[in-house]
Amino acid sequence: MPPSRRAHLVEAAARLFEQQGFHATGIDYILDVAGVAKMTLYNHFKSKEDLIVATLEWQNTQFMARLQAHVDDGRSPQDRLLGIFSFLERWMGSNDFHGCPFVAATLEYADRDHPIHVAAATHKRNVFTLIQALTKDVGHSDSRLLAQQLLLLYEGGLSVGHALDAPIAARQARRAAEALVSAG
Protein backbone atom coordinates (compact mmCIF):
# COMPACT_ATOMS: atom_id res chain seq x y z
CA MET A 1 0.00 0.00 0.00
CA PRO A 2 1.51 3.36 -0.96
CA PRO A 3 2.13 5.88 1.81
CA SER A 4 -0.54 8.46 2.51
CA ARG A 5 -0.13 11.89 0.93
CA ARG A 6 0.86 13.25 4.33
CA ALA A 7 3.53 10.57 4.82
CA HIS A 8 4.79 11.06 1.27
CA LEU A 9 5.03 14.82 1.83
CA VAL A 10 6.87 14.36 5.14
CA GLU A 11 9.38 11.92 3.62
CA ALA A 12 10.05 14.15 0.61
CA ALA A 13 10.41 17.25 2.78
CA ALA A 14 12.76 15.42 5.16
CA ARG A 15 15.10 14.50 2.29
CA LEU A 16 15.10 18.04 0.95
CA PHE A 17 15.62 19.65 4.35
CA GLU A 18 18.53 17.30 5.00
CA GLN A 19 20.15 18.09 1.66
CA GLN A 20 19.52 21.85 1.54
CA GLY A 21 18.67 23.06 5.02
CA PHE A 22 15.40 24.13 6.54
CA HIS A 23 15.39 27.83 5.71
CA ALA A 24 16.84 27.33 2.23
CA THR A 25 14.18 24.84 1.16
CA GLY A 26 11.04 26.55 -0.06
CA ILE A 27 7.52 25.18 0.21
CA ASP A 28 6.90 25.39 -3.53
CA TYR A 29 10.01 23.30 -4.20
CA ILE A 30 8.92 20.70 -1.64
CA LEU A 31 5.47 20.51 -3.20
CA ASP A 32 6.97 20.18 -6.68
CA VAL A 33 9.33 17.37 -5.66
CA ALA A 34 6.63 15.60 -3.65
CA GLY A 35 4.13 16.03 -6.45
CA VAL A 36 1.39 17.29 -4.18
CA ALA A 37 -0.79 20.37 -4.24
CA LYS A 38 -0.47 23.26 -1.80
CA MET A 39 -3.91 22.34 -0.46
CA THR A 40 -2.51 18.94 0.59
CA LEU A 41 0.16 20.70 2.62
CA TYR A 42 -2.31 22.98 4.37
CA ASN A 43 -4.78 20.15 4.96
CA HIS A 44 -2.13 18.47 7.11
CA PHE A 45 0.05 21.31 8.42
CA LYS A 46 -0.61 24.88 9.53
CA SER A 47 2.81 26.08 8.41
CA LYS A 48 6.23 25.12 7.08
CA GLU A 49 7.40 24.97 10.69
CA ASP A 50 4.74 22.36 11.49
CA LEU A 51 5.96 20.36 8.49
CA ILE A 52 9.54 20.61 9.77
CA VAL A 53 8.49 19.33 13.20
CA ALA A 54 6.70 16.42 11.52
CA THR A 55 9.80 15.58 9.46
CA LEU A 56 11.98 15.60 12.57
CA GLU A 57 9.54 13.38 14.44
CA TRP A 58 9.41 10.98 11.48
CA GLN A 59 13.21 10.99 11.14
CA ASN A 60 13.58 10.35 14.87
CA THR A 61 11.29 7.32 14.68
CA GLN A 62 13.09 5.94 11.62
CA PHE A 63 16.56 6.62 13.00
CA MET A 64 15.92 5.16 16.45
CA ALA A 65 14.41 1.98 14.93
CA ARG A 66 17.48 1.50 12.71
CA LEU A 67 19.87 2.25 15.57
CA GLN A 68 18.03 -0.12 17.92
CA ALA A 69 18.03 -2.91 15.30
CA HIS A 70 21.75 -2.41 14.76
CA VAL A 71 22.67 -2.58 18.44
CA ASP A 72 20.37 -5.57 18.92
CA ASP A 73 22.64 -7.49 16.53
CA GLY A 74 25.45 -7.36 19.11
CA ARG A 75 26.31 -10.64 20.82
CA SER A 76 27.34 -9.22 24.17
CA PRO A 77 26.23 -6.16 26.14
CA GLN A 78 29.57 -4.48 25.29
CA ASP A 79 29.14 -5.28 21.57
CA ARG A 80 25.66 -3.78 21.70
CA LEU A 81 26.89 -0.63 23.42
CA LEU A 82 29.82 -0.10 21.08
CA GLY A 83 27.55 -0.91 18.14
CA ILE A 84 26.28 2.67 18.24
CA PHE A 85 29.65 3.73 16.83
CA SER A 86 29.68 1.15 14.02
CA PHE A 87 26.15 2.31 13.19
CA LEU A 88 27.41 5.88 13.14
CA GLU A 89 30.30 4.98 10.85
CA ARG A 90 28.00 3.11 8.45
CA TRP A 91 25.54 6.03 8.36
CA MET A 92 28.27 8.61 7.80
CA GLY A 93 29.76 6.53 5.00
CA SER A 94 26.46 6.20 3.13
CA ASN A 95 25.47 8.26 0.10
CA ASP A 96 22.43 9.46 2.03
CA PHE A 97 24.48 11.17 4.72
CA HIS A 98 24.20 14.97 4.65
CA GLY A 99 24.98 15.61 8.28
CA CYS A 100 22.70 15.26 11.24
CA PRO A 101 19.32 16.86 10.57
CA PHE A 102 18.77 17.25 14.31
CA VAL A 103 21.98 19.24 14.76
CA ALA A 104 21.06 21.32 11.72
CA ALA A 105 17.64 22.02 13.21
CA THR A 106 19.11 23.22 16.51
CA LEU A 107 21.47 25.51 14.62
CA GLU A 108 18.83 26.98 12.31
CA TYR A 109 16.30 27.30 15.14
CA ALA A 110 18.50 28.27 18.07
CA ASP A 111 15.73 29.35 20.46
CA ARG A 112 15.49 26.37 22.81
CA ASP A 113 11.76 26.88 23.24
CA HIS A 114 11.06 26.82 19.51
CA PRO A 115 9.07 23.68 18.57
CA ILE A 116 11.65 22.73 15.92
CA HIS A 117 14.51 23.00 18.41
CA VAL A 118 12.46 21.01 20.93
CA ALA A 119 11.82 18.22 18.38
CA ALA A 120 15.52 18.03 17.55
CA ALA A 121 16.54 18.00 21.21
CA THR A 122 14.05 15.20 21.84
CA HIS A 123 15.96 13.05 19.37
CA LYS A 124 19.24 13.71 21.16
CA ARG A 125 17.59 12.75 24.46
CA ASN A 126 16.32 9.54 22.86
CA VAL A 127 19.84 8.64 21.75
CA PHE A 128 21.11 9.37 25.28
CA THR A 129 18.36 7.21 26.80
CA LEU A 130 19.33 4.29 24.56
CA ILE A 131 23.02 4.71 25.36
CA GLN A 132 22.26 4.87 29.07
CA ALA A 133 20.20 1.66 28.91
CA LEU A 134 23.09 -0.02 27.11
CA THR A 135 25.60 1.20 29.70
CA LYS A 136 23.48 -0.33 32.47
CA ASP A 137 23.60 -3.65 30.61
CA VAL A 138 27.43 -3.66 30.66
CA GLY A 139 27.36 -3.20 34.41
CA HIS A 140 29.39 -0.02 34.54
CA SER A 141 29.71 1.47 38.03
CA ASP A 142 28.35 4.86 36.91
CA SER A 143 26.14 4.20 33.90
CA ARG A 144 24.84 7.78 33.70
CA LEU A 145 28.33 9.28 33.60
CA LEU A 146 29.49 6.72 31.04
CA ALA A 147 26.39 7.40 28.92
CA GLN A 148 27.10 11.14 29.01
CA GLN A 149 30.70 10.54 27.96
CA LEU A 150 29.69 8.17 25.16
CA LEU A 151 27.09 10.62 23.89
CA LEU A 152 29.81 13.27 23.68
CA LEU A 153 32.03 10.87 21.73
CA TYR A 154 29.12 9.94 19.45
CA GLU A 155 28.18 13.56 18.78
CA GLY A 156 31.80 14.61 18.41
CA GLY A 157 32.46 11.83 15.92
CA LEU A 158 29.34 12.85 14.03
CA SER A 159 30.27 16.54 13.91
CA VAL A 160 33.94 16.09 13.06
CA GLY A 161 33.20 13.35 10.56
CA HIS A 162 30.66 15.52 8.78
CA ALA A 163 32.70 18.73 8.85
CA LEU A 164 35.81 17.01 7.50
CA ASP A 165 34.05 14.41 5.33
CA ALA A 166 35.81 11.75 7.37
CA PRO A 167 33.58 8.87 8.51
CA ILE A 168 36.68 7.44 10.20
CA ALA A 169 35.90 9.89 13.03
CA ALA A 170 33.22 7.42 14.13
CA ARG A 171 35.82 4.64 14.30
CA GLN A 172 38.10 6.86 16.35
CA ALA A 173 35.21 7.70 18.67
CA ARG A 174 34.57 3.96 19.06
CA ARG A 175 38.20 3.40 20.09
CA ALA A 176 37.89 6.09 22.74
CA ALA A 177 34.58 4.54 23.86
CA GLU A 178 36.23 1.13 24.19
CA ALA A 179 38.80 2.66 26.54
CA LEU A 180 36.07 4.28 28.65
CA VAL A 181 34.03 1.08 28.85
CA SER A 182 37.08 -0.98 29.78
CA ALA A 183 38.09 1.49 32.49
CA GLY A 184 34.76 1.20 34.29
Side-chain angles (χ1 to χ4, degrees), residues 77-85 131 134-135 138 146 150 181:
Q78 187 168 331
D79 287 342
R80 293 180 68 220
L81 175 59
L82 296 172
I84 63 172
F85 295 97
I131 293 171
L134 294 169
T135 61
V138 299
L146 179 60
L150 294 179
V181 171

Side-chain angles (χ1 to χ4, degrees), residues 63 67 70-71 78-93 127 130-131 134-135 146-158 167-181:
F63 185 94
L67 178 57
H70 185 83
V71 300
Q78 187 168 331
D79 287 342
R80 293 180 68 220
L81 175 59
L82 296 172
I84 63 172
F85 295 97
S86 58
F87 174 85
L88 181 61
E89 185 176 9
R90 182 183 304 162
W91 176 39
M92 290 171 58
V127 172
L130 174 60
I131 293 171
L134 294 169
T135 61
L146 179 60
Q148 290 167 342
Q149 293 167 335
L150 294 179
L151 181 65
L152 289 173
L153 287 172
Y154 173 91
E155 291 295 329
L158 177 59
I168 193 169
R171 192 173 313 138
Q172 300 303 337
R174 180 188 171 111
R175 288 186 181 135
E178 288 169 349
L180 283 172
V181 171

Side-chain angles (χ1 to χ4, degrees), residues 87-157:
F87 174 85
L88 181 61
E89 185 176 9
R90 182 183 304 162
W91 176 39
M92 290 171 58
S94 75
N95 291 335
D96 294 334
F97 182 73
H98 302 284
C100 179
F102 306 100
V103 169
T106 62
L107 294 173
E108 287 195 48
Y109 295 89
D111 176 359
R112 291 188 176 151
D113 294 326
H114 194 287
I116 293 170
H117 192 103
V118 170
T122 296
H123 168 75
K124 297 302 182 181
R125 281 189 209 87
N126 289 343
V127 172
F128 175 74
T129 299
L130 174 60
I131 293 171
Q132 188 171 17
L134 294 169
T135 61
K136 287 178 183 175
D137 291 346
V138 299
H140 194 273
S141 60
D142 190 344
S143 63
R144 183 168 178 79
L145 176 62
L146 179 60
Q148 290 167 342
Q149 293 167 335
L150 294 179
L151 181 65
L152 289 173
L153 287 172
Y154 173 91
E155 291 295 329

